[in-house]
């Protein structure tokens, strides 16, 4: 397969064999997802609350970073575009506090 950098995981079928490598709880679950067939990773965030959370979901790689914004819906699931798994990657959620401070929680790098 061609490089998956910047591609959407569901559009390329990479979600079909995806596994969660690691996850952390932060305003829901932030998961680092991996597809062996596509040799790519992406971040997925799942809101476990009926109230919405406005935040940014990000996949941070040593060479590429992609992010998507939540809409603030209850039980929302959002994911990023993919990065090649040939680089170190981690999944993050960034939440802006009313004070303007940015809070960030990430999985470990893989």
């Amino acid at each position: 397969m061609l490089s998956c950098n910047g591609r959407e995981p569901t559009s390329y079928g990479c979600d079909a064999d995806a596994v969660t490598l690691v996850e952390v709880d932060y305003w829901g679950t932030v998961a680092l997802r991996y597809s062996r067939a596509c040799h790519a990773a992406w971040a997925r965030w799942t809101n476990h609350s009926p109230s919405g959370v406005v935040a940014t979901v990000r996949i941070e790689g040593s060479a590429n970073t992609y992010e998507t914004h939540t809409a603030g819906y209850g039980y929302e699931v959002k994911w990023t575009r993919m990065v090649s798994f040939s680089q170190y990657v981690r999944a993050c959620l960034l939440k802006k506090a009313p004070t303007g401070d940015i809070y960030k929680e990430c999985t470990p790098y893989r």
Side-chain angles (χ1 to χ4, degrees), residues 67-82:
E67 61 186 31
T68 190
H69 303 285
T70 67
Y73 301 126
Y75 304 111
E76 182 178 21
V77 177
K78 294 294 271 193
W79 55 88
T80 64
R81 295 186 175 276
M82 298 182 287

Side-chain angles (χ1 to χ4, degrees), residues 16-103:
D17 75 330
V19 296
T20 297
L21 297 178
V22 63
E23 62 186 20
V24 295
D25 290 327
Y26 187 63
W27 295 89
T29 303
V30 181
L32 178 61
R33 302 282 288 164
Y34 168 71
S35 165
R36 182 176 180 187
C38 297
H39 194 62
W42 61 94
R44 182 184 70 192
W45 177 74
T46 305
N47 179 10
H48 299 295
S49 169
S51 59
V53 175
V54 177
T56 301
V57 183
R58 180 184 290 169
I59 183 80
E60 295 181 348
S62 53
N64 301 90
T65 297
Y66 299 102
E67 61 186 31
T68 190
H69 303 285
T70 67
Y73 301 126
Y75 304 111
E76 182 178 21
V77 177
K78 294 294 271 193
W79 55 88
T80 64
R81 295 186 175 276
M82 298 182 287
V83 297
S84 169
F85 201 64
S86 60
Q87 57 186 293
Y88 289 107
V89 295
R90 70 179 180 175
C92 300
L93 184 77
L94 291 80
K95 174 97 171 78
K96 187 174 183 178
T99 60
D101 294 329
I102 302 291
Y103 295 97

